[in-house]
Amino acid sequence: MNSIIFFSIGLVAMACTEKKDLPTTTAPKVIEDKNWTFETSPVWADEFVNNGKPDATKWSYDVGGSGWGNNELQYYTAGDNVNIANGILTITAKKENRETNLYTSSRLVTRGKGDFLYGRFEIRAKLPTGRGTWPAIWMLPTDFAYGNWPNSGEIDIMEHVGYDQNRVHITVHTGAFNHSINTQKGNSKVIPTASTAFHNYRVDWTPYAVRGYIDNDLVFEFVNNGQGFKAWPFDKRFHLLLNIAVGGNWGGAQGVDPNVFPTAMEIDYVRVYKMIDK
């Protein structure tokens, strides 16, 4: 009987020792910046050389007027608000009724036709003007492997709201860092000719960081902290989106001026360069 007691005490002691030795937290994985470079010829591009509607092998449309999770006011049409002429893609937001919506616009997406893991994404664009406009050049996950927004991530290459003319934003959203909990990561820069001249909006996305540039000047850097998908879901495929929203939680924060419509965002080109792995 005494030997059984000693054996039991020994097991308890071993269990306590083993439990004490277990780590209480998982150490972040160290991510090395390998200074990745990018190929010089695009792996995917649209130069918009053919007049008419966008190339259906490269672009589809998100359609509807549900508010899009942001209380937006526009109905996105299946291409009624887009046109290509003289090498320029034009997306036009209009004041016109469509179902229960007072405005129309279009949202082009490359989902299923241009999906990418890492790379350099460069878009040359001229932005619309007017209070209530909310143009964006951005990226969403194709597969939502980590769950619904924001857990699977979002990369905003360019975002602008018309009531703050010429201030251009570059932002990322993740489960740990997003505007709904006031932890979003981003930066902005005033571009005095954002709506009167074309500018280059670019993101370099590698396993180490998402870096945002305007006219080749670094504006924003978001580094992978090695703490998993809540902070860094950017290890899965993403696709591109181009659109003008009307109103919404941010775009309509100071109201919508109906007199500014129609107004347009013009796109000179979209180019994607493959990251050279190391």
Side-chain angles (χ1 to χ4, degrees), residues 194-207:
S195 297
T196 58
F198 284 92
H199 293 273
N200 287 1
Y201 301 102
R202 185 181 110 213
V203 154
D204 289 356
W205 168 26
T206 71

Side-chain angles (χ1 to χ4, degrees), residues 7 19 27 60 87 123 169 194 210 239:
F7 181 69
K19 185 175 181 181
S60 300
I123 299 90
H169 303 260
V210 172
H239 59 272

Side-chain angles (χ1 to χ4, degrees), residues 22 24 44 49 53 69 78 81 98 100 110 113 118 130 138 141 143 168 175 185-186 190 202 227 236 240 251 256:
L22 290 173
T24 55
W44 189 100
V49 295
K53 297 302 179 183
N81 296 64
R98 185 68 60 96
T100 60
T110 66
K113 301 175 179 182
Y118 310 128
W138 53 308
D143 306 302
V168 179
K185 299 293 184 179
V190 173
R202 185 181 110 213
Q227 294 185 341
K236 303 295 182 183
L240 288 158
V256 177

Side-chain angles (χ1 to χ4, degrees), residues 21-207:
D21 290 342
L22 290 173
T24 55
T25 58
T26 302
K29 180 181 178 182
V30 177
I31 308 299
E32 178 187 357
D33 187 359
K34 296 184 179 180
N35 297 310
W36 286 271
T37 56
F38 304 89
E39 294 182 354
T40 56
S41 296
V43 67
W44 189 100
D46 201 335
E47 305 289 336
F48 305 114
V49 295
N50 296 319
N51 290 348
K53 297 302 179 183
D55 185 344
T57 67
K58 296 180 178 179
W59 303 97
S60 300
Y61 302 94
D62 283 340
V63 177
S66 61
W68 298 96
N70 295 298
N71 296 308
E72 297 165 22
L73 304 179
Q74 79 288 337
Y75 183 98
Y76 282 134
T77 67
D80 295 352
N81 296 64
V82 297
N83 185 62
I84 297 171
N86 303 314
I88 301 295
L89 167 69
T90 301
I91 303 173
T92 304
K94 304 176 182 178
K95 188 179 186 304
E96 60 180 2
N97 295 341
R98 185 68 60 96
E99 295 185 357
T100 60
N101 306 90
L102 299 178
Y103 299 88
T104 64
S105 185
S106 281
R107 177 158 127 172
L108 288 83
V109 300
T110 66
R111 183 177 56 248
K113 301 175 179 182
D115 304 287
F116 313 98
L117 175 59
Y118 310 128
R120 170 172 287 172
F121 305 83
E122 182 176 280
I123 299 90
R124 185 167 174 81
K126 185 193 298 184
L127 308 184
T129 60
R131 181 165 48 86
T133 60
W134 186 0
I137 300 166
W138 53 308
M139 302 180 74
L140 280 176
T142 297
D143 306 302
F144 283 88
Y146 298 121
N148 292 334
W149 190 95
N151 290 322
S152 290
E154 174 182 326
I155 300 172
D156 298 318
I157 301 171
M158 185 293 304
E159 207 168 6
H160 176 265
V161 288
Y163 66 80
D164 190 10
Q165 180 61 40
N166 296 326
R167 182 172 296 281
V168 179
H169 303 260
I170 305 173
T171 315
V172 297
H173 301 281
T174 75
F177 304 109
N178 66 82
H179 66 266
S180 65
I181 54 175
N182 296 316
T183 58
Q184 72 272 11
K185 299 293 184 179
N187 199 11
S188 65
K189 182 177 181 179
V190 173
I191 307 297
T193 58
S195 297
T196 58
F198 284 92
H199 293 273
N200 287 1
Y201 301 102
R202 185 181 110 213
V203 154
D204 289 356
W205 168 26
T206 71

